[in-house]
Amino acid sequence: MKPILKIDNLRKIYHTPKEEILALDNFSYTLQEGEFVSIVGPSGCGKSTILSILSDLMKPSDGTIELQEGKKIGYMLQQDCLFDFRTILDNCLLGLEIKKELTEENKAYVIHLLETYGLKDFMYHYPENLSGGMRQRVALIRTLATKPDILLLDEPFSALDYQTRLAVSDDVYHILKKEKKSAIMVTHDLAEAISMSDKVIVLTGRPGKIKNIYTIELSNKSNPIENRKAKEFSTYYDMLWKDIDFHV
């Protein structure tokens, strides 16, 4: 693997009429090509702020971001944000329309993704006809449509029930690995982070600083559901839980 993204000393200060709030401080990380990284930490520690800065929705107060030349970033939001009046295919083409990149070649690529990942029969249906898990799969394909090299995932499964969440996390992991994408995921679910990630970054409470970075090494690592059965899984879970200290 080689570096695809270098983040150096990111800092974010929010300004209010009464005060300055330091939300994120001295965040540095080098993302390798093909790597899946999760960021965990207490509520309000700046996890989503990091994704907003990386996607250029927000400017950092300090620090630098160096993206490998020619590489692109895609952002998958917490909610699927599908438009009810557009078909599944048209929802997936939305980003290409906005970027004025809707060519026949790109449209064919999106149709290929829908066919490959079990949505062929629903292309001309509307979101109301889909389950929550299928909607998230559509949201992922919409993000992949613009051919990003790095996917930013902000609590992508939080709106789903537990059983669906497990199945969709498996789907998303499989799709990202097959499409050879790098990913940074923000989650509150420690089991999700361990089962999907190559590395897990633990942030402190606000201001968010890196407390620990764990390299996840599981026996017979395969997919997120099976990874939860690995003998090392509970050890990682206990270490992450103690690091975050949810009771504070």
Side-chain angles (χ1 to χ4, degrees), residues 10 12 21 31 35 51 54 61 79 81 95-96 100 114 119 129 142 145 153-154 162 167 195 212 232 239-240 242-243:
L10 276 196
K12 181 61 182 177
I21 299 170
L31 182 71
E35 190 175 40
L51 297 193
L54 293 179
S61 302
Q79 302 296 326
C81 299
L96 291 169
K100 301 189 186 306
L114 289 167
L119 292 162
N129 302 126
R142 180 185 58 199
L153 309 170
D154 191 359
Y162 181 72
S195 66
N212 259 320
E232 302 88 354
M239 289 191 295
L240 288 170
K242 288 174 183 175
D243 260 359

Side-chain angles (χ1 to χ4, degrees), residues 190-208:
L190 301 185
E192 192 170 85
I194 297 164
S195 66
M196 295 184 74
S197 306
D198 299 304
K199 290 186 180 178
V200 177
I201 300 171
V202 182
L203 296 185
T204 64
R206 184 190 298 156

